[in-house]
mmCIF file of all heavy atoms in Angstrom:
data_model
loop_
_atom_site.group_PDB
_atom_site.id
_atom_site.type_symbol
_atom_site.label_atom_id
_atom_site.label_comp_id
_atom_site.label_asym_id
_atom_site.label_seq_id
_atom_site.Cartn_x
_atom_site.Cartn_y
_atom_site.Cartn_z
ATOM 1 N N ALA A 214 104.132 94.973 -35.561
ATOM 2 C CA ALA A 214 104.779 93.727 -35.143
ATOM 3 C C ALA A 214 104.702 93.566 -33.631
ATOM 4 O O ALA A 214 104.467 92.465 -33.113
ATOM 5 C CB ALA A 214 106.231 93.707 -35.604
ATOM 6 N N LEU A 215 104.906 94.684 -32.882
ATOM 7 C CA LEU A 215 104.831 94.642 -31.424
ATOM 8 C C LEU A 215 103.426 94.277 -30.958
ATOM 9 O O LEU A 215 103.245 93.473 -30.031
ATOM 10 C CB LEU A 215 105.239 96.001 -30.851
ATOM 11 C CG LEU A 215 105.269 96.127 -29.323
ATOM 12 C CD1 LEU A 215 106.237 95.118 -28.717
ATOM 13 C CD2 LEU A 215 105.660 97.548 -28.911
ATOM 14 N N ASP A 216 102.428 94.839 -31.655
ATOM 15 C CA ASP A 216 101.038 94.518 -31.313
ATOM 16 C C ASP A 216 100.755 93.036 -31.540
ATOM 17 O O ASP A 216 100.069 92.386 -30.734
ATOM 18 C CB ASP A 216 100.075 95.364 -32.139
ATOM 19 C CG ASP A 216 100.070 96.831 -31.693
ATOM 20 O OD1 ASP A 216 100.499 97.095 -30.550
ATOM 21 O OD2 ASP A 216 99.659 97.693 -32.489
ATOM 22 N N ASP A 217 101.295 92.484 -32.628
ATOM 23 C CA ASP A 217 101.105 91.053 -32.906
ATOM 24 C C ASP A 217 101.730 90.192 -31.809
ATOM 25 O O ASP A 217 101.147 89.194 -31.362
ATOM 26 C CB ASP A 217 101.723 90.689 -34.262
ATOM 27 C CG ASP A 217 100.916 91.258 -35.436
ATOM 28 O OD1 ASP A 217 99.725 91.596 -35.213
ATOM 29 O OD2 ASP A 217 101.481 91.377 -36.537
ATOM 30 N N LEU A 218 102.942 90.580 -31.369
ATOM 31 C CA LEU A 218 103.618 89.817 -30.321
ATOM 32 C C LEU A 218 102.852 89.893 -28.997
ATOM 33 O O LEU A 218 102.753 88.902 -28.260
ATOM 34 C CB LEU A 218 105.044 90.345 -30.121
ATOM 35 C CG LEU A 218 106.019 90.097 -31.283
ATOM 36 C CD1 LEU A 218 107.334 90.817 -31.034
ATOM 37 C CD2 LEU A 218 106.257 88.603 -31.464
ATOM 38 N N ARG A 219 102.292 91.064 -28.718
ATOM 39 C CA ARG A 219 101.515 91.201 -27.490
ATOM 40 C C ARG A 219 100.248 90.362 -27.526
ATOM 41 O O ARG A 219 99.827 89.802 -26.499
ATOM 42 C CB ARG A 219 101.181 92.679 -27.260
ATOM 43 C CG ARG A 219 102.382 93.500 -26.785
ATOM 44 C CD ARG A 219 102.086 94.975 -26.729
ATOM 45 N NE ARG A 219 103.188 95.713 -26.102
ATOM 46 C CZ ARG A 219 103.297 97.030 -26.117
ATOM 47 N NH1 ARG A 219 102.364 97.778 -26.745
ATOM 48 N NH2 ARG A 219 104.322 97.628 -25.526
ATOM 49 N N ILE A 220 99.647 90.271 -28.702
ATOM 50 C CA ILE A 220 98.455 89.413 -28.856
ATOM 51 C C ILE A 220 98.824 87.958 -28.585
ATOM 52 O O ILE A 220 98.106 87.230 -27.891
ATOM 53 C CB ILE A 220 97.844 89.586 -30.258
ATOM 54 C CG1 ILE A 220 97.215 90.985 -30.386
ATOM 55 C CG2 ILE A 220 96.796 88.508 -30.536
ATOM 56 C CD1 ILE A 220 96.784 91.350 -31.785
ATOM 57 N N ARG A 221 99.972 87.550 -29.110
ATOM 58 C CA ARG A 221 100.426 86.174 -28.874
ATOM 59 C C ARG A 221 100.702 85.922 -27.388
ATOM 60 O O ARG A 221 100.362 84.861 -26.857
ATOM 61 C CB ARG A 221 101.686 85.891 -29.695
ATOM 62 C CG ARG A 221 101.425 85.747 -31.195
ATOM 63 C CD ARG A 221 102.717 85.660 -31.973
ATOM 64 N NE ARG A 221 103.536 84.520 -31.538
ATOM 65 C CZ ARG A 221 104.798 84.334 -31.928
ATOM 66 N NH1 ARG A 221 105.378 85.202 -32.747
ATOM 67 N NH2 ARG A 221 105.471 83.279 -31.500
ATOM 68 N N LEU A 222 101.321 86.928 -26.724
ATOM 69 C CA LEU A 222 101.570 86.793 -25.286
ATOM 70 C C LEU A 222 100.258 86.686 -24.503
ATOM 71 O O LEU A 222 100.148 85.889 -23.561
ATOM 72 C CB LEU A 222 102.378 87.987 -24.771
ATOM 73 C CG LEU A 222 103.875 87.998 -25.105
ATOM 74 C CD1 LEU A 222 104.497 89.316 -24.663
ATOM 75 C CD2 LEU A 222 104.596 86.830 -24.437
ATOM 76 N N ASP A 223 99.266 87.487 -24.865
ATOM 77 C CA ASP A 223 97.961 87.420 -24.195
ATOM 78 C C ASP A 223 97.338 86.036 -24.348
ATOM 79 O O ASP A 223 96.730 85.506 -23.410
ATOM 80 C CB ASP A 223 97.020 88.489 -24.750
ATOM 81 C CG ASP A 223 97.415 89.899 -24.323
ATOM 82 O OD1 ASP A 223 98.183 90.014 -23.343
ATOM 83 O OD2 ASP A 223 96.973 90.867 -24.979
ATOM 84 N N GLU A 224 97.486 85.447 -25.554
ATOM 85 C CA GLU A 224 96.939 84.110 -25.783
ATOM 86 C C GLU A 224 97.649 83.076 -24.908
ATOM 87 O O GLU A 224 97.009 82.200 -24.320
ATOM 88 C CB GLU A 224 97.069 83.738 -27.265
ATOM 89 C CG GLU A 224 96.180 84.574 -28.184
ATOM 90 C CD GLU A 224 96.490 84.328 -29.657
ATOM 91 O OE1 GLU A 224 97.506 83.656 -29.938
ATOM 92 O OE2 GLU A 224 95.716 84.810 -30.508
ATOM 93 N N ILE A 225 98.975 83.199 -24.840
ATOM 94 C CA ILE A 225 99.756 82.265 -24.004
ATOM 95 C C ILE A 225 99.397 82.452 -22.537
ATOM 96 O O ILE A 225 99.220 81.470 -21.797
ATOM 97 C CB ILE A 225 101.268 82.480 -24.225
ATOM 98 C CG1 ILE A 225 101.654 82.104 -25.656
ATOM 99 C CG2 ILE A 225 102.089 81.668 -23.222
ATOM 100 C CD1 ILE A 225 103.063 82.520 -26.051
ATOM 101 N N ASP A 226 99.281 83.722 -22.092
ATOM 102 C CA ASP A 226 98.922 83.993 -20.692
ATOM 103 C C ASP A 226 97.560 83.405 -20.352
ATOM 104 O O ASP A 226 97.346 82.911 -19.239
ATOM 105 C CB ASP A 226 98.931 85.500 -20.421
ATOM 106 C CG ASP A 226 100.343 86.070 -20.391
ATOM 107 O OD1 ASP A 226 101.288 85.273 -20.213
ATOM 108 O OD2 ASP A 226 100.494 87.294 -20.538
ATOM 109 N N GLY A 227 96.634 83.472 -21.297
ATOM 110 C CA GLY A 227 95.313 82.877 -21.078
ATOM 111 C C GLY A 227 95.426 81.380 -20.820
ATOM 112 O O GLY A 227 94.737 80.827 -19.948
ATOM 113 N N GLN A 228 96.298 80.729 -21.578
ATOM 114 C CA GLN A 228 96.513 79.293 -21.378
ATOM 115 C C GLN A 228 97.169 79.025 -20.022
ATOM 116 O O GLN A 228 96.818 78.071 -19.328
ATOM 117 C CB GLN A 228 97.390 78.736 -22.501
ATOM 118 C CG GLN A 228 96.762 78.821 -23.892
ATOM 119 C CD GLN A 228 97.733 78.343 -24.963
ATOM 120 O OE1 GLN A 228 98.277 77.250 -24.877
ATOM 121 N NE2 GLN A 228 97.952 79.181 -25.968
ATOM 122 N N ILE A 229 98.130 79.895 -19.651
ATOM 123 C CA ILE A 229 98.806 79.716 -18.363
ATOM 124 C C ILE A 229 97.821 79.862 -17.208
ATOM 125 O O ILE A 229 97.836 79.067 -16.254
ATOM 126 C CB ILE A 229 99.968 80.723 -18.217
ATOM 127 C CG1 ILE A 229 101.096 80.378 -19.201
ATOM 128 C CG2 ILE A 229 100.503 80.736 -16.782
ATOM 129 C CD1 ILE A 229 102.218 81.393 -19.227
ATOM 130 N N VAL A 230 96.935 80.871 -17.279
ATOM 131 C CA VAL A 230 95.943 81.074 -16.228
ATOM 132 C C VAL A 230 95.021 79.857 -16.119
ATOM 133 O O VAL A 230 94.736 79.365 -15.016
ATOM 134 C CB VAL A 230 95.117 82.349 -16.493
ATOM 135 C CG1 VAL A 230 93.935 82.438 -15.547
ATOM 136 C CG2 VAL A 230 95.998 83.592 -16.356
ATOM 137 N N ARG A 231 94.577 79.353 -17.264
ATOM 138 C CA ARG A 231 93.694 78.177 -17.253
ATOM 139 C C ARG A 231 94.410 76.969 -16.645
ATOM 140 O O ARG A 231 93.856 76.261 -15.803
ATOM 141 C CB ARG A 231 93.228 77.861 -18.679
ATOM 142 C CG ARG A 231 92.330 76.626 -18.783
ATOM 143 C CD ARG A 231 91.902 76.369 -20.217
ATOM 144 N NE ARG A 231 93.054 76.175 -21.088
ATOM 145 C CZ ARG A 231 93.747 75.018 -21.167
ATOM 146 N NH1 ARG A 231 93.404 73.986 -20.417
ATOM 147 N NH2 ARG A 231 94.762 74.916 -22.000
ATOM 148 N N LEU A 232 95.665 76.766 -17.048
ATOM 149 C CA LEU A 232 96.424 75.631 -16.528
ATOM 150 C C LEU A 232 96.762 75.802 -15.044
ATOM 151 O O LEU A 232 96.816 74.824 -14.288
ATOM 152 C CB LEU A 232 97.711 75.447 -17.337
ATOM 153 C CG LEU A 232 97.502 74.949 -18.776
ATOM 154 C CD1 LEU A 232 98.819 75.005 -19.551
ATOM 155 C CD2 LEU A 232 96.951 73.525 -18.775
ATOM 156 N N TYR A 233 96.977 77.062 -14.616
ATOM 157 C CA TYR A 233 97.244 77.310 -13.205
ATOM 158 C C TYR A 233 96.041 76.903 -12.354
ATOM 159 O O TYR A 233 96.186 76.220 -11.328
ATOM 160 C CB TYR A 233 97.567 78.788 -12.975
ATOM 161 C CG TYR A 233 97.657 79.168 -11.514
ATOM 162 C CD1 TYR A 233 98.754 78.809 -10.746
ATOM 163 C CD2 TYR A 233 96.611 79.858 -10.892
ATOM 164 C CE1 TYR A 233 98.834 79.133 -9.393
ATOM 165 C CE2 TYR A 233 96.673 80.189 -9.546
ATOM 166 C CZ TYR A 233 97.787 79.828 -8.811
ATOM 167 O OH TYR A 233 97.848 80.141 -7.480
ATOM 168 N N GLU A 234 94.853 77.321 -12.775
ATOM 169 C CA GLU A 234 93.657 76.965 -12.020
ATOM 170 C C GLU A 234 93.426 75.456 -12.039
ATOM 171 O O GLU A 234 93.012 74.871 -11.030
ATOM 172 C CB GLU A 234 92.440 77.695 -12.589
ATOM 173 C CG GLU A 234 92.457 79.203 -12.318
ATOM 174 C CD GLU A 234 91.076 79.795 -12.310
ATOM 175 O OE1 GLU A 234 90.352 79.578 -13.309
ATOM 176 O OE2 GLU A 234 90.720 80.461 -11.319
ATOM 177 N N GLU A 235 93.727 74.826 -13.175
ATOM 178 C CA GLU A 235 93.600 73.369 -13.267
ATOM 179 C C GLU A 235 94.588 72.697 -12.309
ATOM 180 O O GLU A 235 94.249 71.717 -11.626
ATOM 181 C CB GLU A 235 93.850 72.914 -14.708
ATOM 182 C CG GLU A 235 93.598 71.439 -14.951
ATOM 183 C CD GLU A 235 93.768 71.063 -16.417
ATOM 184 O OE1 GLU A 235 93.563 71.937 -17.290
ATOM 185 O OE2 GLU A 235 94.127 69.889 -16.671
ATOM 186 N N ARG A 236 95.809 73.233 -12.251
ATOM 187 C CA ARG A 236 96.831 72.673 -11.356
ATOM 188 C C ARG A 236 96.420 72.832 -9.890
ATOM 189 O O ARG A 236 96.580 71.914 -9.080
ATOM 190 C CB ARG A 236 98.174 73.377 -11.600
ATOM 191 C CG ARG A 236 99.355 72.731 -10.902
ATOM 192 C CD ARG A 236 100.642 73.504 -11.146
ATOM 193 N NE ARG A 236 101.821 72.691 -10.845
ATOM 194 C CZ ARG A 236 102.292 72.456 -9.633
ATOM 195 N NH1 ARG A 236 101.689 73.001 -8.585
ATOM 196 N NH2 ARG A 236 103.363 71.694 -9.468
ATOM 197 N N MET A 237 95.906 74.020 -9.531
ATOM 198 C CA MET A 237 95.505 74.262 -8.150
ATOM 199 C C MET A 237 94.319 73.384 -7.747
ATOM 200 O O MET A 237 94.193 72.988 -6.585
ATOM 201 C CB MET A 237 95.167 75.739 -7.944
ATOM 202 C CG MET A 237 96.367 76.673 -8.052
ATOM 203 S SD MET A 237 97.711 76.256 -6.899
ATOM 204 C CE MET A 237 96.980 76.725 -5.341
ATOM 205 N N LYS A 238 93.447 73.043 -8.702
ATOM 206 C CA LYS A 238 92.333 72.134 -8.413
ATOM 207 C C LYS A 238 92.861 70.750 -8.055
ATOM 208 O O LYS A 238 92.384 70.120 -7.096
ATOM 209 C CB LYS A 238 91.397 72.058 -9.629
ATOM 210 C CG LYS A 238 90.195 71.145 -9.429
ATOM 211 C CD LYS A 238 89.299 71.629 -8.297
ATOM 212 C CE LYS A 238 88.097 70.731 -8.115
ATOM 213 N NZ LYS A 238 87.280 71.122 -6.942
ATOM 214 N N VAL A 239 93.867 70.305 -8.784
ATOM 215 C CA VAL A 239 94.484 69.011 -8.469
ATOM 216 C C VAL A 239 95.182 69.080 -7.104
ATOM 217 O O VAL A 239 95.099 68.142 -6.306
ATOM 218 C CB VAL A 239 95.479 68.596 -9.570
ATOM 219 C CG1 VAL A 239 96.216 67.316 -9.182
ATOM 220 C CG2 VAL A 239 94.759 68.400 -10.895
ATOM 221 N N CYS A 240 95.858 70.209 -6.841
ATOM 222 C CA CYS A 240 96.519 70.381 -5.541
ATOM 223 C C CYS A 240 95.510 70.351 -4.397
ATOM 224 O O CYS A 240 95.802 69.821 -3.306
ATOM 225 C CB CYS A 240 97.286 71.708 -5.506
ATOM 226 S SG CYS A 240 98.722 71.756 -6.602
ATOM 227 N N GLU A 241 94.329 70.898 -4.642
ATOM 228 C CA GLU A 241 93.276 70.860 -3.625
ATOM 229 C C GLU A 241 92.852 69.426 -3.330
ATOM 230 O O GLU A 241 92.632 69.049 -2.169
ATOM 231 C CB GLU A 241 92.081 71.686 -4.102
ATOM 232 C CG GLU A 241 90.980 71.835 -3.075
ATOM 233 C CD GLU A 241 89.848 72.726 -3.566
ATOM 234 O OE1 GLU A 241 89.934 73.226 -4.710
ATOM 235 O OE2 GLU A 241 88.890 72.925 -2.801
#
């Protein structure tokens, strides 16, 4: 169960990283 939750967190973090770079591009 812990491994499943960590996989879900990794997926969410991937989205956050992508959105962060997208946000910084707009800020630029």
